[in-house]
Structures are given as C-alpha cells and as structure tokens.
Amino acid sequence: MSSMLESPEFTKQLQPWGIGITNKLLRVPTRRLPSPELHNAAGPVRMNQSTESWDIKPGSQWPMIRAKTFQRWVVVAHRQTPDLDQFINSSIRQEANGLGIPVGPPKVFNTGGDERPQAYLNLMTSQVAPLNPEFIVVVIPRKLPEEPYRSVKQFLTATVGLQSQFVTQESLTKSPNLKANKILVQMNCKFGGAPWQVDLRLTTPTMFVGVDVHHGKDVGHA
C-alpha cells in the first residue's frame, strides 16, 4: 500500500476521479468457523485445518461421492506425441482408479500439427461431432491469449452442445498425473457427479455465496 501511495503514476490516475486513498486500513473483526467434515464415497474425510485445502491430491484414493461413467469420450490435439500417449494410457487410468470414475479408452484425433483454430474446427465438424461423444478433451500447444481456445470452446458449447476441457501440451509434459486428476474431477462434475459432500446439518434452505479474493500460493494471504 505504501509503495502505491508513493507512486506518482498511481496518484496521477486517481486525480481525475477526485479519489484519495489512505494507508490506514480498516480493521474488521472476524471469527474462524470450524472446518466442515467432508465425505467421499469411502466415508468421512478430515481436512487439514492449517491449509484448508480441498484439493484432491494425484495418486490418492478418493472415490467420488457421486461418480459418472465415461465410455464415449474424445481427445483432440494438434499432434500425437509420446507425452499425450502416456497421459491417456497411464495417467488417466491411474487417476481414474483412485477417483472411482469408470473411464473407457478415448478416441484420439490430431490436426496433423496445424495449430490454427480452423484446423481444430474442421476436424471436430467432420470426425468428432458425428460420434456424439460424451466429453472432449482439447489439447492446445501452449497457453495462448485467446485462440484456438475461444473459437473451439464457442463451437463446442454453442453449436454442438458438448462438454469440454482444455489443457496445454506443456502441462501434460510437466505434470501428467496432476493434470489427469484435475480433468477427471472436472469431467465428473460437469456431468452431474460430485467429488464430495459437506455435512452441515442444515434444517432450512440456505444459499451460499463464495468470494474468491486471492489466487496466490501463500495460504496466509488467501
């Protein structure tokens, strides 16, 4: 806060709006609620109160409280690589077993190395859509600002009406089991499954609002 207030550029941006900011932050009294008990299909799970992380670790035995089955799903990539083969044949199978999600082998397509959005769209129109798959995993070369994610996502959602999950080739290379774990949990949730349930013992209808305030790795500032 002090560094911002000492910045001439920051002060200059506030002047047209007639806004002034003080470095005396308002202190708001809060209280810490007890951590809820989670339940997966195997029973209750006590969370680590020091981190409050609800992440499901790769390689863990965490059967979904409500698991869906995936027998007709598709992987579309810009090219077939050994990393992709390992991801499908090893990482997905290992993580699916631990999560209790029945997953069959996917059909795999590639654009022949063509990274343009139109190459993905042509492939999906001619070969993928006629299969009427339950789910599509789209592998893009790298984390790009918009494309091919935007065009392909819009096509799958608005035109074809298929659930999808995007992943970068880089993430499959660095941490295949971590990515497989996250994709499977997301696939399951998007199809009406659930990774856990929380026993809050509520007696009246209640609405919850989640406020995401920080994405840093330092849990002390979350």
Side-chain angles (χ1 to χ4, degrees), residues 32-94:
R32 182 188 180 94
L33 298 176
S35 300
E37 186 175 72
L38 301 184
H39 291 256
N40 59 27
V45 180
R46 180 65 64 181
M47 304 306 296
N48 187 336
Q49 295 191 16
S50 63
T51 61
E52 293 291 355
S53 174
W54 291 25
D55 288 342
I56 301 174
K57 304 298 183 183
S60 61
Q61 294 297 314
W62 187 295
M64 304 283 95
I65 192 74
R66 189 168 62 249
K68 294 296 181 178
T69 300
F70 298 92
Q71 296 298 335
R72 298 190 333 273
W73 65 292
V74 168
V75 176
V76 175
H78 67 294
R79 63 166 54 92
Q80 193 83 12
T81 66
D83 291 331
L84 181 59
D85 292 337
Q86 179 186 356
F87 174 74
I88 295 171
N89 298 320
S90 178
S91 299
I92 285 288
R93 289 184 179 181
Q94 292 174 11

Side-chain angles (χ1 to χ4, degrees), residues 25-171:
L25 300 179
L26 176 65
R27 293 186 176 273
V28 179
T30 61
R31 61 192 178 97
R32 182 188 180 94
L33 298 176
S35 300
E37 186 175 72
L38 301 184
H39 291 256
N40 59 27
V45 180
R46 180 65 64 181
M47 304 306 296
N48 187 336
Q49 295 191 16
S50 63
T51 61
E52 293 291 355
S53 174
W54 291 25
D55 288 342
I56 301 174
K57 304 298 183 183
S60 61
Q61 294 297 314
W62 187 295
M64 304 283 95
I65 192 74
R66 189 168 62 249
K68 294 296 181 178
T69 300
F70 298 92
Q71 296 298 335
R72 298 190 333 273
W73 65 292
V74 168
V75 176
V76 175
H78 67 294
R79 63 166 54 92
Q80 193 83 12
T81 66
D83 291 331
L84 181 59
D85 292 337
Q86 179 186 356
F87 174 74
I88 295 171
N89 298 320
S90 178
S91 299
I92 285 288
R93 289 184 179 181
Q94 292 174 11
E95 295 303 318
N97 288 335
L99 297 171
I101 301 176
V103 177
K107 290 187 177 296
V108 183
F109 300 90
N110 69 82
T111 65
D114 194 337
E115 301 178 6
R116 295 174 300 172
Q118 193 60 47
Y120 283 87
L121 296 177
N122 291 341
L123 178 62
M124 291 182 182
T125 302
S126 61
Q127 299 186 53
V128 176
L131 298 176
N132 191 28
E134 298 165 321
F135 199 91
I136 298 179
V137 175
V138 183
V139 183
I140 56 179
R142 65 195 67 85
K143 191 173 182 179
L144 303 174
E146 291 185 353
E147 300 294 358
Y149 171 83
R150 185 177 64 176
S151 297
V152 177
K153 188 71 171 180
Q154 183 177 5
F155 171 78
L156 293 174
T157 304
T159 304
V160 186
L162 291 175
Q163 295 282 6
S164 62
Q165 190 66 39
F166 285 69
V167 60
T168 64
Q169 183 69 47
E170 180 183 16
S171 65

